[in-house]
Amino acid sequence: MIAKIGKGSNMYGAILYNQQKVDKENGTILLLNKIPDTVDGKYSVAYFNKCFEPYLSANIKTEKTVRHISLNPDPADKVSDEQFTEMAQEYMERMGYGSQPYIFFKHTDIDRTHIHIVSTCVGIDGKKIPDDYDHPRSMAICRDLEQKYNLQKATEQEQKQANKIFKPVDYHKGDIKSQIASVVRYLPKYYSFSTMGSYNALLSLFNITAEEVKVERNGQAVNGLVYFALDKNGNKVSNPFKASLFGKDAGVAQLQKHFEQSNEKMKTNPARSVLKNTIELAIHTTNNEKEFKKQLVEQGINTIVRKNESGRIYGMTFVDHGSRSVWNGSQLDRNLSANVFNDWWNNGNKPELKTQDSPVSKTHTLDNLPTKDLFEFLSNEHSPNTDLGLFSLLSDAQGEDLEEEQFAKKMKKKRNQRKF
């Protein structure tokens, strides 16, 4: 089991995120601690938010008062609601939050049933509950709970994987070929992307771009691919590197297969609706491009905006690192197309908010709350890590000696030729 701890500054947003799951029958409330029951057993975001007010209003100087924690057993584990409740209670008690108000939400919208806990790190006296060494303590508790409830053990490799990242190319450091290789060799293994444009959007986050070229092979013209390193402004700063230097996964033929497979996979990806909702909420709780991008980054989503020389927006791509998928705006919904964002950021015509009636929105709607009071928390279910680093994925190839590898391949080829 893996626990993820999110630290934020907005209680309403954390509750809203989870309560919407309940309203859409993709989640349930398993337990309330230090929060009174209602007469009819029904709850709203506004009611829950009010229950935390005495603690938040007593706050002396803590900036990030919200704790949004997820407990994630292995998909193979069969955990009952009673066991989930017992585990979550023990976890909160040992983490020092046993006397705090908190809500246990069970999420069932993806194949991995898991728990989200919303609480606050501020005591009723206004003082912050110590959170030094939160993550090592959390990991130790999870190991104990695995043993106690006979759960699948999170392997050492899985724990290490969470701390490894692909690194953007830094052309100042030299050995650009190895830097590019450590990214392009492995991205298709981890990310779904269905077009060359979305592939390049993903590559741009690592200061890389790919271009298709016509090459001659055996007297015939065929499509090839070359890669360049980019500077922070997106300008090419290296010579082209042929895709063949990085293995077949980096070439046109294999990428075309990947596009087709990704396209089919993404049609049924449950992350699509989650991402769409997250982007729509960001539209209506931010005022400009910078705020919009920042809010999505805090949830593990990068926004790549493509503009022409006059500044007109002609492309919007969203990289969701939680589901490891790359989406064009119009692919998610026509209301998230490039034209919509161009009309907002260049012409000042912000899209109107459309909400559906629900018990939650009748009391508190997104329209009647100040923008600054909404959705500033980290949603770790869709965020690779709480430090908001680029991407929590394997990068074992970083710094490998490509020249030596190419030499070894040539020697092997010569040995094979001698056999004949």
Side-chain angles (χ1 to χ4, degrees):
M1 182 171 73
I2 296 175
K4 298 181 180 180
I5 305 173
K7 301 178 181 181
S9 58
N10 183 271
M11 182 60 68
Y12 187 91
I15 299 169
L16 173 66
Y17 173 80
N18 289 279
Q19 185 63 40
Q20 283 181 334
K21 303 277 187 182
V22 177
D23 294 340
K24 295 177 181 178
E25 300 183 351
N26 288 322
T28 56
I29 297 171
L30 292 186
L31 179 71
L32 302 176
N33 191 67
K34 299 281 186 178
I35 293 178
D37 290 324
T38 59
V39 175
D40 59 3
K42 295 181 180 179
Y43 303 96
S44 70
V45 177
Y47 173 78
F48 283 140
N49 194 56
K50 190 172 183 179
C51 293
F52 285 99
E53 280 182 2
Y55 294 81
L56 302 179
S57 61
N59 178 34
I60 297 173
K61 58 180 180 180
T62 303
E63 290 185 9
K64 295 189 175 181
T65 57
V66 180
R67 292 296 177 266
H68 189 192
I69 302 165
S70 67
L71 300 181
N72 307 272
D74 188 277
D77 289 321
K78 304 300 179 184
V79 184
S80 67
D81 288 354
E82 183 180 358
Q83 289 175 319
F84 263 133
T85 301
E86 290 174 359
M87 283 192 294
Q89 282 181 301
E90 181 174 341
Y91 178 89
M92 292 297 280
E93 186 70 38
R94 292 176 62 180
M95 287 295 289
Y97 294 91
S99 299
Q100 292 296 98
Y102 54 71
I103 314 167
F104 289 172
F105 294 92
K106 181 175 79 168
H107 289 195
T108 57
D109 56 335
I110 57 177
D111 59 1
R112 173 179 52 81
T113 300
H114 56 290
I115 291 292
H116 277 239
I117 308 170
V118 177
S119 187
T120 177
C121 66
V122 177
I124 196 65
D125 59 357
K127 296 180 180 179
K128 180 183 177 182
I129 295 172
D131 60 356
D132 296 338
Y133 309 108
D134 256 3
H135 292 281
R137 287 194 298 127
S138 175
M139 289 173 62
I141 295 169
C142 286
R143 301 295 79 76
D144 290 345
L145 291 175
E146 286 170 351
Q147 187 171 359
K148 182 176 180 179
Y149 291 92
N150 195 30
L151 304 177
Q152 299 282 330
K153 290 182 173 61
T155 66
E156 204 172 301
Q157 183 61 34
E158 285 173 327
Q159 291 298 328
K160 288 179 180 178
Q161 180 173 327
N163 297 320
K164 291 187 177 182
I165 61 171
F166 284 118
K167 295 179 181 178
V169 171
D170 182 351
Y171 71 95
H172 294 104
K173 292 182 177 180
D175 197 10
I176 294 175
K177 192 186 333 181
S178 290
Q179 292 189 62
I180 294 177
S182 67
V183 176
V184 302
R185 284 185 170 186
Y186 299 96
L187 280 186
K189 290 180 170 62
Y190 295 102
Y191 280 83
S192 296
F193 42 85
S194 57
T195 66
M196 183 59 72
S198 57
Y199 179 47
N200 257 323
L202 180 59
L203 287 176
S204 71
L205 300 177
F206 302 96
N207 300 332
I208 302 170
T209 190
E211 287 186 5
E212 292 189 78
V213 294
K214 293 285 186 181
V215 296
E216 190 171 308
R217 187 176 298 162
N218 298 325
Q220 292 185 334
V222 296
N223 289 330
L225 204 63
V226 294
Y227 291 85
F228 297 85
L230 304 176
D231 63 17
K232 63 181 181 180
N233 297 316
N235 301 312
K236 296 175 187 174
V237 289
S238 76
N239 292 322
F241 295 95
K242 293 189 295 185
S244 58
L245 292 171
F246 309 125
K248 66 177 184 179
D249 285 346
V252 171
Q254 198 64 25
L255 282 172
Q256 287 294 343
K257 291 180 182 178
H258 185 78
F259 296 158
E260 293 170 8
Q261 292 168 355
S262 294
N263 192 43
E264 289 302 312
K265 183 179 178 181
M266 291 167 72
K267 285 178 181 178
T268 57
N269 192 335
R272 178 177 185 166
S273 60
V274 177
L275 178 61
K276 175 179 174 291
N277 291 339
T278 303
I279 294 170
E280 287 176 343
L281 187 54
I283 289 174
H284 302 298
T285 56
T286 61
N287 295 313
N288 52 52
E289 181 178 349
K290 184 178 180 181
E291 289 180 5
F292 176 84
K293 288 181 176 179
K294 181 177 182 293
Q295 182 162 295
L296 290 184
V297 163
E298 289 175 349
Q299 296 170 73
I301 302 165
N302 281 106
T303 306
I304 294 88
V305 182
R306 296 187 295 283
K307 303 178 181 180
N308 63 19
E309 292 182 359
S310 65
R312 177 177 172 77
I313 297 171
Y314 66 87
M316 291 290 297
T317 304
F318 300 95
V319 181
D320 179 9
H321 302 291
S323 64
R324 295 175 183 175
S325 52
V326 186
W327 305 80
N328 288 325
S330 55
Q331 189 180 8
L332 291 167
D333 192 280
R334 64 181 181 181
N335 294 322
L336 299 179
S337 68
N339 285 337
V340 172
F341 287 92
N342 182 71
D343 210 27
W344 175 19
W345 292 335
N346 286 334
N347 302 325
N349 299 319
K350 188 171 182 177
E352 293 182 3
L353 173 61
K354 296 178 182 178
T355 57
Q356 58 187 40
D357 277 342
S358 71
V360 175
S361 61
K362 286 176 183 175
T363 307
H364 250 109
T365 67
L366 300 180
D367 279 333
N368 59 32
L369 277 172
T371 298
K372 65 182 179 62
D373 289 338
L374 278 171
F375 220 75
E376 297 169 359
F377 72 104
L378 300 184
S379 170
N380 277 295
E381 179 181 338
H382 306 291
S383 177
N385 56 64
T386 52
D387 295 324
L388 301 180
L390 270 179
F391 324 106
S392 300
L393 293 171
L394 291 175
S395 182
D396 293 330
Q398 187 71 30
E400 62 184 318
D401 192 338
L402 285 175
E403 296 296 338
E404 183 175 323
E405 185 175 320
Q406 291 294 327
F407 177 75
K409 285 182 178 179
K410 288 180 181 178
M411 293 301 293
K412 184 178 179 180
K413 187 176 181 181
K414 286 181 179 179
R415 286 197 300 271
N416 290 338
Q417 288 173 343
R418 289 194 199 106
K419 291 179 181 178
F420 296 94

